[in-house]
Amino acid sequence: ISSFNVKAAQNQNEEEKKALESELVKYEKEIEQHEAMITSLKTQGKTLTSEINQLNAKIAKLNLQIKAVNLTLSKLDSEIGATQKQIIKTEDKIDFNKENLSQLLQVLYENDTNSLVEILLKNPQLSDFFNDVNNLISVQDNLRVIINEIIEARQKLVDQKEILAIDREDAATLKSYQSV
């Protein structure tokens, strides 16, 4: 009995040993699967970190582009303000020259109604006559100068308004770009 019991105990130990070994093999396979999953997750983590870094770089780039657009808009706003001031100055100059032109035309009209004989008779001295003629010529020269100044100022005003329109168009384009 004792040898039978010993053999039975040995068989039972071997069966338990085999069961334990198969269970150990099963656990080792599960460990290998978990290690593979850990390696895969590490790789995914590195990929995700890389993607996050790329997105952060893109965000930083876009923020810099927005700052650049804002600076450009500020510059355009100041240029538009300066151009508007120049337009106002030019319009004032045109108005001033128009008033001078009106006065000169009035003097010219008054003098034009008098003939040279009348001017000669009004002035008892010959020097007064020549002074009046010289004054008339001076008025006519001033008239030409003022007309040329008005023409130049008007052209400058047109140019400034075109520049202002272009600046406003650029600002509108940049603002729409920024909003996108």
Side-chain angles (χ1 to χ4, degrees):
I1 298 184
S2 67
S3 86
F4 179 71
N5 281 341
V6 172
K7 270 191 172 185
Q10 282 180 349
N11 278 342
Q12 190 177 5
N13 281 342
E14 278 187 39
E15 285 178 19
E16 285 179 15
K17 188 178 176 184
K18 284 183 183 180
L20 289 173
E21 284 180 6
S22 77
E23 202 170 322
L24 180 64
V25 168
K26 178 181 154 190
Y27 288 140
E28 285 177 350
K29 285 183 182 178
E30 285 181 24
I31 289 172
E32 286 177 12
Q33 288 174 351
H34 287 292
E35 284 178 354
M37 186 182 292
I38 289 171
T39 304
S40 170
L41 290 175
K42 282 182 181 178
T43 305
Q44 286 179 358
K46 288 178 183 176
T47 303
L48 290 175
T49 303
S50 171
E51 286 180 25
I52 290 171
N53 289 338
Q54 287 176 357
L55 289 175
N56 285 336
K58 286 180 183 178
I59 289 170
K61 178 183 173 186
L62 289 174
N63 285 334
L64 288 174
Q65 286 176 337
I66 289 171
K67 286 179 182 179
V69 167
N70 286 335
L71 285 175
T72 303
L73 283 173
S74 296
K75 180 183 170 193
L76 282 174
D77 287 341
S78 68
E79 288 176 2
I80 286 171
T83 303
Q84 286 174 329
K85 287 178 185 176
Q86 285 294 330
I87 287 172
I88 290 169
K89 285 180 183 178
T90 304
E91 287 173 342
D92 290 344
K93 186 176 181 181
I94 288 173
D95 290 341
F96 177 75
N97 284 333
K98 280 182 180 179
E99 287 178 28
N100 286 342
L101 181 63
S102 173
Q103 292 171 359
L104 288 174
L105 286 173
Q106 182 66 32
V107 168
L108 197 63
Y109 174 76
E110 290 170 2
N111 288 330
D112 196 33
T113 58
N114 298 330
S115 68
L116 287 178
V117 174
E118 287 176 314
I119 295 172
L120 185 60
L121 292 175
K122 282 183 185 176
N123 298 308
Q125 294 182 354
L126 195 57
S127 63
D128 290 339
F129 168 75
F130 283 115
N131 281 339
D132 281 350
V133 171
N134 283 338
N135 286 340
L136 184 60
I137 292 172
S138 175
V139 167
Q140 289 175 342
D141 287 342
N142 286 339
L143 186 62
R144 277 190 216 97
V145 168
I146 289 175
I147 289 174
N148 285 336
E149 285 179 0
I150 289 174
I151 291 170
E152 288 173 12
R154 182 76 178 138
Q155 185 58 44
K156 185 177 180 183
L157 183 63
V158 168
D159 292 344
Q160 288 170 337
K161 285 184 178 182
E162 286 176 6
I163 289 169
L164 181 62
I166 291 170
D167 286 348
R168 284 187 176 160
E169 186 178 315
D170 288 346
T173 302
L174 281 172
K175 282 181 182 178
S176 67
Y177 175 75
Q178 182 183 21
S179 65
V180 169

